[in-house]
Each structure stands twice: as structure tokens, then as C-alpha cells.
Amino acid sequence: MMQQKIPDHIAIIMDGNGRWAKKRGLPRTAGHKQGAENIRKIAIACNALQVKALTLYAFSTENWKRPEKEVDYLCKLPRFFFKSYMAELKRNNIQVLYLGELDKFPEDTRNVITTAVAETKENTGLKLCLAVNYGARREIILAAQRYASDVCEGKRSLSIDETEFAGYLMTSQLPEVDLLIRTSGELRISNFLLWQIAYSELIFTDRSWPEFDEEELRKAIDEYTLRDRRFGGLKDEN
Ligand code: IPE
Ligand code: IPE
Ligand code: MG
């Protein structure tokens, strides 16, 4: 068996819940529920593989355009998720984090998420980071605003390098994204982690998110292991 290179940080665009449900004659919401259950499975698997961070795109700044009923259901999912799986996440030493702006969500949703973060903040295993009401362009604007206000207030100089700017992004506590996976066949980024994926390896799979299991994760890591990451340099000849 090939020696796998385990990515420090995997990011996943969890797409295809709706199509998964439609194929089975179920409402789209059933797909979202199945998708939430799959988060548990993949998070436990990543933790066992000693992946350091797993960032999951759960709700984009564009997803508010969906019908109200679907948006309402998606807003309720964090309660279902943490109620069902919090104990297991804690047992596995998993730390919960989020990216995005919570203020647009109902109070209950906000509380459930901030409680999960607070209750797992001492955990030292996988950082399970949920991107909720997250959009990369919005994130970059917020970072630029904070940087500008630090300059205006004399807290820092105008000159800034890439590492310093990354410190203003929502991902400042996370390692570089090594591997980005998108499920369900779409070949686009849909406003996810634009800055952070500058040198990530990209994998697109036709599997829908509810069907993306440990075996698919292992295959993605195998493919990642075979990639030659040059970062603009030359192949390491030895
Ligand atoms: C991904 O599944 C989950 C969210 C975007 C919230 P979709 O709901 O986009 O499923 P498809 O793409 O319609 O199949
Ligand atoms: C991206 O999926 C957002 C999430 C997975 C949360 P979408 O289904 O919203 O993306 P588009 O509309 O196909 O680009
Ligand atoms: Mg979709």
C-alpha cells in the first residue's frame, strides 16, 4: 500500500444534497439532513487520520436566495447536528469552529453554534470548521476594512505582506488549505475560500455529498498523495 501524505487542512464544498434527495423521490430537505449526518462521519474519519483541520462549506452568502422554506430548514440544521453528535465530537477531542457572519441567522441558530465552539475550545484534535453564511469576497472585504482601520488608528503601517494580510481573514487560526474537494460534479468554487486556495490541490468528484464516504475520502487523499506540489518552483529531483 502506498504511504499516504495526509493533508493538514482539507476543505470541502459539500454539494449535491438536493439532487441526492430528488433521485430518491425525497424532498430536498431530506438531502440536507443526510448531508448533516455525513459531516459527522467524515469529521470522525479525518480526526482518525490526524488531519488538523476540516473546513466545510455549509451555507454560502448566496444561499439566502433559496426558497424561504429551504433556508428555514438549513437554519435549523445546526441544532439537529449538535444535539445528535456533540457528545461524540467531544469524545473524539474535536474542536468546533466557524467561518462567516452569524448575525443574519435566528438567535437560536447563533446560540447553538457559539455554544458548540465554546464547549470544545480546549479540544486539541481535528479543528472542524463550519462555513456558515460565508462568502470569500465578503471575507476579503471585512479583512480589508479591519486592516484599513488599524492603519487609520495608527496601530500598524500601510505596508503589509501576505502572511500579515492572512491574519485578518476568518481562517487566521487554520493551517494552509492543502486539498479542496467539491462533490457532485460542479466544476466551480462558488465563492469559497478564494484567497486560501491559491495553491491548494483541487479534486472534483461526481459523488454527491451524502454519498461521499470514508472510502471516497481515502481515494481523494491517495490522489493528493500522488500530486506533485511545486508552488511555482521546480520538481524536486532526488
Ligand atoms: C449543498 O447541496 C448544500 C447547500 C448548498 C446548502 P445543494 O442543496 O446545493 O444540492 P444540489 O446542488 O441542489 O443538488
Ligand atoms: C455551494 O453550493 C455552497 C455550499 C455547498 C454551501 P451551491 O449549490 O450553493 O453552489 P452553486 O449555486 O451550484 O454555485
Ligand atoms: Mg448545489
Side-chain angles (χ1 to χ4, degrees), residues 14-19 28 32 58 63 66 70 74:
M14 307 184 290
D15 199 15
N17 292 349
R19 278 164 282 174
R28 292 179 55 82
H32 294 315
N63 286 146
R66 294 188 179 198
E70 180 163 343
L74 290 167

Side-chain angles (χ1 to χ4, degrees), residues 129-149:
C129 185
L130 301 174
V132 284
N133 188 30
Y134 171 86
R137 288 181 169 180
R138 175 76 185 148
E139 176 192 34
I140 292 168
I141 287 176
L142 290 173
Q145 284 175 340
R146 284 182 45 223
Y147 157 66
S149 92

Side-chain angles (χ1 to χ4, degrees), residues 7-8 12 15 61-62 73 86 100 106-107 130 132 140 149 164 167 173 185 191 195 211 215 223:
D8 278 344
I12 307 182
D15 199 15
T61 47
E62 288 72 33
Y73 187 85
M86 194 55 173
E107 192 184 353
L130 301 174
V132 284
I140 292 168
S149 92
E164 288 173 314
Q173 306 303 314
N191 201 17
W195 170 284
E211 290 177 312
E215 171 70 13
E223 189 175 334

Side-chain angles (χ1 to χ4, degrees), residues 12 38 42 181 183 205 208-214 216-217 220:
I12 307 182
N38 203 43
I42 296 301
I181 300 169
T183 60
T205 164
S208 68
W209 171 248
E211 290 177 312
F212 186 89
D213 56 13
E214 290 102 321
E216 286 296 301
L217 176 69

Side-chain angles (χ1 to χ4, degrees), residues 98-105 132-134 138 142 170:
Y98 72 88
L99 306 179
E101 292 171 282
L102 294 187
D103 52 339
K104 261 190 152 187
F105 289 114
V132 284
N133 188 30
Y134 171 86
R138 175 76 185 148
L142 290 173
M170 294 169 178

Side-chain angles (χ1 to χ4, degrees), residues 29-47:
T29 49
H32 294 315
K33 179 137 188 274
Q34 196 64 33
E37 286 179 18
N38 203 43
I39 291 178
R40 169 202 159 262
K41 215 185 340 180
I42 296 301
I44 301 284
C46 283
N47 189 49

Side-chain angles (χ1 to χ4, degrees), residues 178-228:
D178 296 307
L179 172 61
L180 173 80
I181 300 169
R182 181 169 186 145
T183 60
S184 213
E186 244 58 78
L187 304 180
R188 55 176 171 261
I189 300 300
S190 302
N191 201 17
F192 192 40
L193 302 176
L194 297 179
W195 170 284
Q196 295 85 345
I197 62 171
Y199 261 107
S200 306
E201 293 300 323
L202 310 179
I203 292 182
F204 296 92
T205 164
D206 286 335
R207 283 278 181 117
S208 68
W209 171 248
E211 290 177 312
F212 186 89
D213 56 13
E214 290 102 321
E215 171 70 13
E216 286 296 301
L217 176 69
R218 196 187 54 72
K219 280 202 271 181
I221 295 176
D222 282 349
E223 189 175 334
Y224 169 83
T225 301
L226 294 172
R227 300 273 177 96
D228 179 24

